[in-house]
Amino acid sequence: KSCSILVTDANFECNEENIMLQAMDNSHIALVSVEIGAPGFTSYRCDRTMPLGVDLTSLTKVLRCAKDENICTLKAADEADVLNLVYDAKSAFFSPFFFAFMWHGRDASSPFPPFFLLCSALLPLFIHLNISLSSQTPITSSWPETKYDTRVTLPSAEFTRIVRDLSQLGEHVRIEVSKEVVRISKLKAKSSAEDEDNDSIPTGVVIEMNQHVSLTFSLKYLVNFSKSGSLSGEVQLLMSNDVPLLVAYDFTQGYIRCYLAPKIGD
Amino acid sequence: TPVQNDLSEYFSLL
C-alpha cells in the first residue's frame, strides 16, 4: 500500500531467496526499494527467478479485502500471466465482499467492472498480472553501500507526525544534522543529562554524524514515505550532501527503503 | 524557491 502511493506499476522480482521490488515514481524524484525474504513467509517456493509485473493499485484493492486473521497465499504458475491470491478465511461464516478487480485477460488500464462476490476460502481471487518484460534497471544496488555522512534514527510515529504537521505549513523542509541537533522541527538527540527534564524532546532520537549535512526535501514525498511507518517502530534517515536521502524502514521479514532527490538552491 | 532535482542526477555516482 505504501508503495502504491508512489508507483502504480512495478515488477516483483521473485527468486529463491526473496521477493524484491524497485521502482521510481513517474517524475523520477523518488525510488522505492522493497525486499521481503523467504523466511518471512509461512512457506515459500520459487522454482525459477521471474519478474511479476503488477498493477499495485489493483493489488492494494484486492489485499484490502483480506482480514488480519486471513492467511494470504500468492501463486503464479510458470509462463503465467495471472497472479493468484487465495485467502484462507479462518471463520466459518462468509462475509460478502464488494470490490472490483481485474478479470483475467483484461488490459491493466481499463476500468474494472464492479463485482459483488460472496468470498469463500475456496474461491481463488484472480488479478490480471501484466508481466512487464522491461524490468527496471536496479539503481540502488550501490547506494546502500554508500557511506552516508549522517544517520538519524527516530521513532517512525514521530517522523510521521513531524512531516505531516510540517506539510501543513509548507512544501519543503530543510533537514540539517549536526552533532547534537537534527533541525527538522528542532529535534535534539537525548544525549546529555540536562535534556532529561525537557520532555518536549522525544526519546529514541539517535544521531550519528561524520560530517555536517544540510539538505532540502519535498514534504509531499516525505509524507508518502512515512505511510510505511506501520511496518517498523523506528525509521532511519541517511544523508550525505551529494546523494539522495534514504528513508529506511527495516522489519523482521525485510525492508522498505525510499530514496528522494533533494531540492537545490534557496 | 528551491528547485527539485531528479534521481537521474545521481546515476553517475554508480
Side-chain angles (χ1 to χ4, degrees):
Chain A
K1 183 170 171 239
S2 45
C3 294
S4 65
I5 297 166
L6 286 164
V7 292
T8 49
D9 295 298
N11 283 341
F12 285 98
E13 308 287 345
C14 302
N15 59 46
E16 52 191 12
E17 283 93 32
N18 53 38
I19 295 183
M20 290 196 76
L21 176 152
Q22 284 185 353
M24 275 191 282
D25 72 318
N26 296 333
S27 56
H28 287 194
I29 290 173
L31 181 135
V32 60
S33 174
V34 182
E35 176 181 313
I36 308 178
F41 293 86
T42 314
S43 67
Y44 182 95
R45 180 167 64 80
C46 178
D47 298 339
R48 72 173 178 83
T49 299
M50 61 193 280
L52 304 178
V54 176
D55 174 319
L56 292 176
T57 312
S58 309
L59 183 59
T60 306
K61 281 179 188 166
V62 170
L63 287 175
R64 209 175 291 146
C65 302
K67 292 196 196 67
D68 288 354
E69 70 274 13
N70 283 159
I71 291 178
C72 173
T73 303
L74 303 145
K75 286 189 278 190
D78 230 354
E79 310 308 326
D81 72 346
V82 171
L83 175 63
N84 174 300
L85 289 99
V86 178
Y87 297 155
D88 148 27
K90 282 240 179 301
S91 51
F93 69 94
F94 299 127
S95 51
F97 283 89
F98 181 91
F99 58 90
F101 66 102
M102 288 185 196
W103 284 99
H104 180 68
R106 259 193 185 260
D107 174 51
S109 54
S110 65
F112 325 127
F115 190 80
F116 189 85
L117 174 73
L118 191 60
C119 175
S120 79
L122 306 179
L123 192 67
L125 306 174
F126 287 91
I127 62 170
H128 183 75
L129 183 65
N130 318 315
I131 304 245
S132 49
L133 300 178
S134 60
S135 66
Q136 297 202 346
T137 324
I139 59 165
T140 57
S141 51
S142 75
W143 276 337
E145 281 77 64
T146 304
K147 178 118 188 59
Y148 286 92
D149 293 335
T150 61
R151 172 168 48 191
V152 176
T153 306
L154 69 155
S156 47
E158 198 59 37
F159 177 67
T160 301
R161 181 189 65 76
I162 291 167
V163 294
R164 187 195 52 226
D165 294 352
L166 288 177
S167 65
Q168 310 299 318
L169 306 174
E171 287 180 2
H172 50 264
V173 65
R174 172 175 290 282
I175 301 182
E176 192 171 352
V177 184
S178 53
K179 198 81 189 122
E180 283 298 305
V181 174
V182 180
R183 194 178 305 279
I184 307 177
S185 60
K186 196 89 173 108
L187 276 188
K188 276 186 184 172
K190 220 162 170 79
S191 56
S192 44
E194 72 272 9
D195 282 350
E196 288 310 316
D197 54 356
N198 182 340
D199 54 12
S200 72
I201 300 165
T203 54
V205 179
V206 175
I207 299 173
E208 298 159 79
M209 187 202 89
N210 297 328
Q211 190 182 336
H212 176 265
V213 170
S214 176
L215 291 162
T216 302
F217 297 102
S218 156
L219 277 162
K220 180 185 81 169
Y221 281 93
L222 295 180
V223 170
N224 286 347
F225 293 171
S226 71
K227 307 286 188 205
S228 299
S230 56
L231 290 167
S232 171
E234 61 180 26
V235 61
Q236 296 177 57
L237 310 178
L238 292 97
M239 277 174 278
S240 289
N241 281 311
D242 51 6
V243 293
L245 162 71
L246 165 55
V247 178
Y249 293 95
D250 290 347
F251 45 90
T252 324
Q253 298 87 344
Y255 59 74
I256 277 197
R257 290 176 183 152
C258 304
Y259 297 86
L260 177 61
K263 290 193 165 192
I264 47 176
D266 256 342
Chain B
T1 309
V3 174
Q4 178 64 58
N5 244 353
D6 73 40
L7 290 171
S8 54
E9 303 286 323
Y10 304 92
F11 290 166
S12 57
L13 293 178
L14 307 182

